[in-house]
Amino acid sequence: MGISKRCLWWCDFKISSSELVSLLVEHYPPKKPPSKESPIFTPYVRKLDIWSGKFLAFFADALCTRMRWRGLSKAPPEWINYPFGDWKESGAFDALLVDGIDYAVVKRISSLLSALKKYDNVDPDVYKNIQSFLGERQRKHDPIGYAVGKNAQDAVQQAVEQRVFTAQELDNKGKVCNQTILTFSAIGSPDVCDKDALKSALGKLKKWHEVRLKLGEMRKAAQADLCKVVCQLAEKGGITRFKFGDLAKIMKDEVRSASPEHPVVEDDDGFNQFAQRLDKTFKTLKYDTTDKLWQIREGFLKQIHDDIDKLNCGDQVHERIHDEFQEIVEFIEADEELPSQAQLAKRLKIPKNTLNRDMKLLRQLFDNKWTMVDNLGKHSLI
């Protein structure tokens, strides 16, 4: 399946990933601007010059930094849906870089240029887009890790606000981030404890074992319970000073490994029939079709996503079903063999029983739409 783009299209200019790599090798590491006040990305955006080697070097540097902040630089690329063993493998970062520029700049160039009519500097917008790019990929392809990370961040933030401990190295909004150092007391070791000691201390807490299976989804109650766990690290775990990024990684790893695969009776026949019927209808409606077919296809998909929003379920379920449906459509458009329901659950890192419930809702939505879907397929033959 096509996980990343092979080239970047920009104002009728096509640049392949190999050309991007050549430019990056030539200009990386980037030369810093004369002062911190000087915009980095803005001059290139204003001139529509994003295939410049210098722009590419600055963008790659910002992407690497934000990957490090999010704990992704040492994480497996598959967590954000790249089929590589690690980021040092040939082609891994190149694929991420092309997708990142496409998301953060190419697809948002209109809004960036509009912002330049009001402001002299759009660097903050580009940085925000890079953060959103990484965040969206995490949310979609590593939902457990994403949810645990957010729950942990909110729980520790609560503890900071309650003055359970002091915090250093907060982000630019004054919030806890992976680089934040948390100290329970001025008394004790001035050194940050290592990951092994932190993991051992966490393992001693009975409440941690009770709460960790609640962290796979973002919930206020789970965050409140987790805050109590964090507050026990000093008293019962003997920890006086630690790094938030270390704690978040330990929690993510343990929740991933502890998440149970509950037995579920999957309706594979119903799912397979549903997916195959969509496949048959969409097989000729691809990106290289006529404008008319493109509009028909886009209008239909928009209506489906609008109807998903109207399903009688919570916002998190709506968001998850959007992702699941889009994944099926991407398989169809890439001419890939359609996955089974179990394979789709594994790919999206969603519990099988959760996906089974979601697919039943989606199929119920389509029960009243198959006539429309079949007519859509007929348009493709005109």
Side-chain angles (χ1 to χ4, degrees):
M1 179 165 187
I3 294 178
S4 60
K5 297 173 179 59
R6 296 192 178 190
C7 62
L8 193 64
W9 286 90
W10 172 254
C11 299
D12 296 324
F13 177 84
K14 178 180 178 181
I15 183 166
S16 68
S17 58
S18 61
E19 291 178 88
L20 285 171
V21 173
S22 297
L23 287 171
L24 183 58
V25 169
E26 181 181 351
H27 294 278
Y28 196 87
K31 293 181 179 179
K32 298 298 181 183
S35 67
K36 292 183 178 180
E37 290 73 28
S38 299
I40 295 174
F41 300 116
T42 301
Y44 299 97
V45 172
R46 182 178 282 115
K47 296 177 182 178
L48 300 179
D49 189 22
I50 69 156
W51 58 84
S52 157
K54 294 180 180 179
F55 172 88
L56 184 64
F58 284 129
F59 192 95
D61 188 57
L63 183 60
C64 287
T65 299
R66 277 145 189 81
M67 285 180 70
R68 188 167 61 252
W69 288 355
R70 300 185 74 93
L72 288 173
S73 57
K74 295 182 179 179
E78 64 180 14
W79 283 5
I80 52 175
N81 204 32
Y82 289 93
F84 300 92
D86 59 53
W87 290 112
K88 295 178 182 178
E89 188 174 332
S90 176
F93 185 74
D94 308 340
L96 180 72
L97 182 61
V98 172
D99 286 346
I101 295 175
D102 186 61
Y103 178 101
V105 182
V106 174
K107 289 182 177 177
R108 287 159 179 76
I109 191 61
S110 296
S111 62
L112 291 173
L113 292 175
S114 296
L116 275 175
K117 295 178 181 178
K118 300 179 181 179
Y119 311 104
D120 293 331
N121 185 1
V122 293
D123 280 26
D125 298 289
V126 176
Y127 286 125
K128 181 179 179 181
N129 291 344
I130 295 173
Q131 282 282 72
S132 297
F133 165 66
L134 294 172
E136 281 194 18
R137 293 197 74 92
Q138 276 190 288
R139 176 184 54 78
K140 181 175 181 180
H141 301 292
D142 180 27
I144 291 178
Y146 181 84
V148 174
K150 293 295 290 183
N151 283 328
Q153 186 177 36
D154 287 349
V156 171
Q157 187 68 41
Q158 289 178 33
V160 170
E161 292 170 359
Q162 293 169 14
R163 298 186 178 181
V164 174
F165 40 58
T166 57
Q168 297 172 287
E169 303 293 332
L170 297 170
D171 66 14
N172 56 9
K173 294 182 180 179
K175 300 293 184 181
V176 171
C177 64
N178 279 340
Q179 308 308 312
T180 299
I181 304 298
L182 299 145
T183 306
F184 280 98
S185 170
I187 303 173
S189 173
D191 299 325
V192 173
C193 73
D194 61 36
K195 293 179 183 178
D196 290 338
L198 188 57
K199 182 176 181 179
S200 175
L202 190 64
K204 295 176 183 177
L205 306 181
K206 180 180 178 181
K207 193 165 185 64
W208 164 242
H209 297 283
E210 295 173 356
V211 76
R212 64 181 180 178
L213 291 181
K214 301 177 183 179
L215 301 178
E217 293 186 7
M218 288 176 281
R219 294 180 179 176
K220 294 293 184 183
Q223 292 165 9
D225 288 341
L226 187 58
C227 180
K228 295 175 183 177
V229 170
V230 173
C231 293
Q232 292 177 351
L233 280 171
E235 179 184 352
K236 297 184 178 181
I239 298 297
T240 57
R241 188 175 170 86
F242 67 95
K243 187 176 180 180
F244 172 73
D246 293 342
L247 180 67
K249 184 180 186 308
I250 292 168
M251 288 183 169
K252 289 177 185 179
D253 290 344
E254 292 202 10
V255 174
R256 285 191 190 100
S257 62
S259 294
E261 288 290 336
H262 297 299
V264 60
V265 178
E266 298 176 33
D267 185 5
D268 273 330
D269 288 341
F271 173 79
N272 291 339
Q273 291 172 8
F274 166 73
Q276 288 168 9
R277 195 167 183 182
L278 274 182
D279 183 34
K280 182 178 179 181
T281 304
F282 280 12
K283 64 181 179 181
T284 57
L285 289 177
K286 297 183 179 179
Y287 290 109
D288 56 354
T289 59
T290 64
D291 288 341
K292 180 181 178 181
L293 290 180
W294 170 263
Q295 291 170 3
I296 292 172
R297 172 195 174 280
E298 289 299 292
F300 172 73
L301 289 178
K302 181 181 183 302
Q303 184 171 347
I304 296 301
H305 284 292
D306 288 345
D307 288 344
I308 289 173
D309 285 332
K310 297 175 185 176
L311 288 172
N312 186 23
C313 53
D315 290 342
Q316 288 185 344
V317 180
H318 286 147
E319 189 172 353
R320 193 172 61 233
I321 294 177
H322 280 302
D323 291 342
E324 293 160 354
F325 176 65
Q326 188 60 37
E327 190 75 8
I328 295 170
V329 172
E330 288 178 7
F331 265 96
I332 291 171
E333 292 179 338
D335 282 331
E336 294 281 338
E337 180 181 352
L338 292 173
S340 67
Q341 187 165 299
Q343 290 170 332
L344 185 63
K346 183 177 181 180
R347 181 179 181 83
L348 293 175
K349 296 182 174 63
I350 295 173
K352 293 179 182 179
N353 56 342
T354 300
L355 182 65
N356 193 52
R357 290 194 299 268
D358 291 350
M359 288 299 100
K360 285 181 179 178
L361 287 173
L362 188 60
R363 296 205 310 274
Q364 289 171 8
L365 183 155
F366 268 84
D367 282 345
N368 298 323
K369 292 186 177 297
W370 283 120
T371 300
M372 183 192 304
V373 176
D374 292 338
N375 288 335
L376 179 67
K378 291 176 184 177
H379 281 294
S380 70
L381 302 176
I382 298 174

